[in-house]
Amino acid sequence: MAKIAYILLCHKDPAAIIRQAERLTAAGDYMSIHFDASADADAFREIQTALADNPNVTFAHKRIKCGWGEWSLVQATIYAVQSAVDAFPRATHFYMLSGDCMAIKSAEYTHRFLDDNDADFIESFDYFESDWIKTGWREERLIYRHYVNERTHKKLFYAMFEAQKRFGIKRKIPADLQIQIGSQWWCLRRNTVEAVLEFIKKRPDVLRFFRTTWIPDETFFQTLVRHLVPENEIRARTLTFLMFTDYGMPVTFYNDHYDLLLSQDYLFARKISPEAQDLKRRLGLLYAAEGVDFQISNEGRSLFKFLSGRGRVGRRFATRFWETESTLGRERELLIVVCKKWHVAKRVLERIRQVTNVPAIEYLFNEEDTPLPDLGGIQNTLEKRTRHRRALMRMLFDYYETDRLIVCMDPSNLDLLNDFASDRSVTRIMEIECQFSDDYLIGHAMRVGLAGDQTSKDTLARLLPTIRNDMLHESDQLNDAEFENHCRMREIAGSDENAQELGHFLNIPMDKAAEITRTDHLFSD
């Protein structure tokens, strides 16, 4: 059975560290603590005194002062790991934690997971080929030497960098290493940890290289594990659930995140707010619990992206160069059916095809597999269709040899609607306004990955109002755009009223329009 030695790097809140150590070791696991040497000495003595009688707790044999982005973080980890390896010969796994991490699964589940997955869990992606680094330095982290802390000696840090750059003072990456990058929160097997420690003894040149690498805690263990362990024994992921905002700051979890955290496919979560006392209490009780059945839905990241993105969509005030150089044609008429319920729009479109001879294409900017003719490759992907939207529509007009064409779009495609409405051609927009039941919204959330079969009722109850408001907001944006030819069919309206709107949109007699709107179950889910 797996027995875990937790490697805890911390620098504050001794009471929380003591509780964390007692909680994790109570299940038979171990802990090795490195408390930052620059932190309060009284706080460290408090931790030592409280845990002195706990045989499952040890401390790094040497404490050092740590700084963000420095080698010191890696060195502190090595000291704590060395102490754990010596103190706990029965430990099978070594798991990196920080002081604000907490278990989101029971010890029973955690041990069974590690027993069932004989592998090292560490993010390790190719440093130069992957997109792990989103912005900022890439090669500069490695080929130049960084001797001081960027946050505490900013001017000196960048002055030394510019001097090296100006005089061409570069260094080579160790030839036998392929640099990897990833999160510093890993879980490694004992054999792997021992191999890393042995490698460190034999290769002082590698240590010299990483000592002056910027942010080495994202590259050191990640590179060495990939160098020492067969690829099929590495899972390039972390077992600690963490997210970052658009500004690169860690997302903090609070009391109302309990159900969400438990449903994620991870063993720990970071960062738990110091003020989230109820969350800490519930997670603490959970780790010691037995027989708990976890329903994994894993929608945390998609939920965060959806919820945090509301109201932050940028607008552009000038057309792109490929949009200004073309037009659909003054004599052409583009008819756009806009509806959030795609199945309703497709049902209306099918009836229009039966009653009129106007070519109609379903959600070509939203569904990759929308049937389209071969147009030389421009139709192959949604990205190409959207980027070359006007060229695509011109080719479709030409293909069908028509001056009238109907397409479907989602209300979220406001930029496309604005673009087509500004064209010299005639653009008519028919918005189909539907009612959204809770069941429909739940199904929608599952289709777009905001929820899963195992998502709790409490999470859905908090999520549904946001999704509903988001859909209403899209409709409001359509109204605010004040398109010149904007018609509207409503689920709550009568068939005659809708026929009048549809007749105006299609420019067809009322009897034909009524034939379409009187279709049975036109708005049914």
Side-chain angles (χ1 to χ4, degrees):
M1 179 179 175
K3 294 185 75 68
I4 307 166
Y6 291 105
I7 309 301
L8 181 64
L9 265 56
C10 47
H11 65 281
K12 61 180 180 179
D13 200 352
I17 293 168
I18 294 167
R19 286 194 299 271
Q20 189 179 38
E22 291 174 341
R23 184 186 306 118
L24 295 178
T25 58
D29 292 315
Y30 311 105
M31 179 171 287
S32 178
I33 301 173
H34 180 278
F35 194 76
D36 197 326
S38 61
D40 183 16
D42 290 337
F44 182 57
R45 281 192 292 271
E46 180 182 347
I47 297 170
Q48 282 184 308
T49 301
L51 300 174
D53 296 331
N54 191 330
N56 286 7
V57 174
T58 190
F59 293 87
H61 59 85
K62 184 176 181 181
R63 291 173 61 212
I64 59 173
K65 295 180 179 180
C66 298
W68 184 88
E70 292 181 10
W71 167 256
S72 56
L73 286 174
V74 178
Q75 187 64 70
T77 304
I78 293 172
Y79 286 150
V81 168
Q82 288 171 336
S83 295
V85 169
D86 294 339
F88 309 124
R90 295 181 61 197
T92 61
H93 294 76
F94 296 77
Y95 196 124
M96 270 288 295
L97 291 177
S98 69
D100 48 22
C101 293
M102 282 201 72
I104 57 175
K105 298 292 186 293
S106 64
E108 180 182 64
Y109 180 98
T110 299
H111 293 148
R112 185 169 62 246
F113 179 91
L114 295 177
D115 285 337
D116 294 342
N117 294 273
D118 185 19
D120 295 308
F121 290 86
I122 181 169
E123 283 189 349
S124 55
F125 306 105
D126 187 277
Y127 188 90
F128 295 101
E129 297 298 327
S130 72
D131 63 347
W132 203 87
I133 300 176
K134 301 298 182 184
T135 59
W137 285 356
R138 185 182 294 267
E139 184 182 51
E140 293 86 347
R141 291 193 190 187
L142 305 177
I143 63 173
Y144 298 110
R145 294 173 176 84
H146 306 279
Y147 294 99
V148 298
N149 188 289
E150 189 263 350
R151 292 191 174 181
T152 57
H153 300 87
K154 187 177 289 288
K155 288 185 178 180
L156 180 58
F157 178 89
Y158 287 105
M160 295 175 70
F161 165 72
E162 291 296 338
Q164 293 178 77
K165 187 176 178 181
R166 179 179 179 183
F167 293 106
I169 304 174
K170 298 180 181 179
R171 61 176 179 175
K172 293 183 179 180
I173 298 171
D176 60 333
L177 292 183
Q178 184 176 2
I179 304 299
Q180 305 287 307
I181 191 167
S183 167
Q184 65 268 48
W185 311 112
W186 40 253
C187 178
L188 303 177
R189 297 167 298 175
R190 186 179 192 92
N191 288 344
T192 301
V193 166
E194 291 175 343
V196 169
L197 295 179
E198 187 64 24
F199 182 90
I200 289 172
K201 293 178 183 177
K202 294 180 178 179
R203 294 293 301 272
D205 60 313
V206 173
L207 259 67
R208 283 195 300 271
F209 173 80
F210 279 105
R211 280 196 181 102
T212 52
T213 295
W214 193 43
I215 321 182
D217 53 313
E218 294 179 349
T219 54
F220 181 76
F221 286 98
Q222 296 78 357
T223 300
L224 266 58
V225 170
R226 185 69 70 171
H227 181 74
L228 297 168
V229 178
E231 184 174 0
N232 64 350
E233 296 181 23
I234 298 174
R235 305 292 180 265
R237 57 160 295 194
T238 176
L239 294 177
T240 299
F241 180 60
L242 68 162
M243 298 187 293
F244 291 90
T245 68
D246 292 344
Y247 304 103
M249 299 300 292
V251 173
T252 301
F253 299 108
Y254 297 93
N255 289 333
D256 56 351
H257 288 128
Y258 179 80
D259 289 330
L260 181 142
L261 291 177
L262 264 60
S263 65
Q264 306 312 305
D265 187 21
Y266 296 85
L267 304 180
F268 281 75
R270 181 180 189 271
K271 310 173 66 161
I272 307 298
S273 169
E275 289 78 34
Q277 295 301 322
D278 188 56
L279 177 61
K280 289 184 175 183
R281 178 187 63 80
R282 296 176 73 184
L283 291 177
L285 293 173
L286 175 70
Y287 192 71
E290 296 181 357
V292 180
D293 184 24
F294 294 93
Q295 304 296 322
I296 306 299
S297 54
N298 217 32
E299 77 281 11
R301 283 190 169 81
S302 56
L303 267 176
F304 176 77
K305 183 178 180 181
F306 170 74
L307 295 173
S308 62
R310 301 306 92 199
R312 294 173 56 188
V313 179
R315 295 182 180 179
R316 55 186 172 87
F317 298 93
T319 54
R320 307 300 195 195
F321 71 89
W322 61 77
E323 297 166 343
T324 57
E325 67 185 10
S326 63
T327 178
L328 304 187
R330 291 182 184 274
E331 73 286 358
R332 286 173 168 167
E333 192 173 2
L334 180 61
L335 309 176
I336 305 176
V337 175
V338 180
C339 184
K340 197 66 181 180
K341 288 187 177 181
W342 295 3
H343 58 282
V344 172
K346 292 177 181 180
R347 197 176 295 139
V348 171
L349 216 64
E350 182 58 31
R351 291 293 291 129
I352 291 174
R353 289 193 190 101
Q354 296 170 3
V355 175
T356 73
N357 292 320
V358 181
I361 304 172
E362 295 171 358
Y363 288 85
L364 74 167
F365 295 107
N366 303 100
E367 291 186 301
E368 194 92 55
D369 57 354
T370 298
L372 289 171
D374 185 356
L375 302 174
I378 194 174
Q379 81 290 346
N380 285 346
T381 66
L382 291 176
E383 183 183 6
K384 285 185 178 180
R385 297 175 202 171
T386 303
R387 187 188 311 131
H388 306 295
R389 62 197 70 161
R390 293 197 185 187
L392 173 69
M393 298 310 298
R394 277 202 322 276
M395 296 172 76
L396 288 171
F397 274 109
D398 292 340
Y399 177 85
Y400 288 109
E401 298 179 348
T402 183
D403 288 333
R404 300 187 81 210
L405 184 66
I406 306 174
V407 298
C408 286
M409 290 191 196
D410 189 89
S412 62
N413 299 136
L414 189 63
D415 58 336
L416 294 176
L417 295 171
N418 276 312
D419 186 38
F420 287 126
S422 66
D423 192 79
R424 295 174 183 173
S425 63
V426 176
T427 302
R428 299 183 186 276
I429 295 172
M430 167 62 75
E431 180 186 0
I432 302 179
E433 191 177 283
C434 301
Q435 301 298 108
F436 301 111
S437 66
D438 286 351
D439 287 342
Y440 172 80
L441 293 178
I442 291 172
H444 173 77
M446 291 182 177
R447 285 190 293 274
V448 299
L450 297 176
D453 292 335
Q454 306 301 331
T455 301
S456 70
K457 291 182 179 179
D458 288 342
T459 300
L460 288 173
R462 291 194 296 269
L463 178 62
L464 293 189
T466 304
I467 298 177
R468 190 185 301 278
N469 290 336
D470 194 57
M471 293 181 175
L472 294 175
H473 177 65
E474 289 176 349
S475 181
D476 288 341
Q477 285 183 307
L478 282 177
N479 291 327
D480 293 342
E482 297 182 346
F483 294 118
E484 184 177 353
N485 299 301
H486 184 184
C487 305
R488 186 178 290 105
M489 288 174 59
R490 294 183 173 90
E491 183 175 355
I492 60 175
S495 60
D496 290 341
E497 182 182 341
N498 284 335
Q500 189 171 0
E501 293 289 309
L502 186 61
H504 178 68
F505 171 68
L506 294 173
N507 195 21
I508 59 175
M510 276 294 297
D511 58 335
K512 285 194 172 184
E515 186 180 342
I516 297 171
T517 60
R518 289 171 184 167
T519 302
D520 291 337
H521 311 298
L522 193 64
F523 292 92
S524 297
D525 289 337

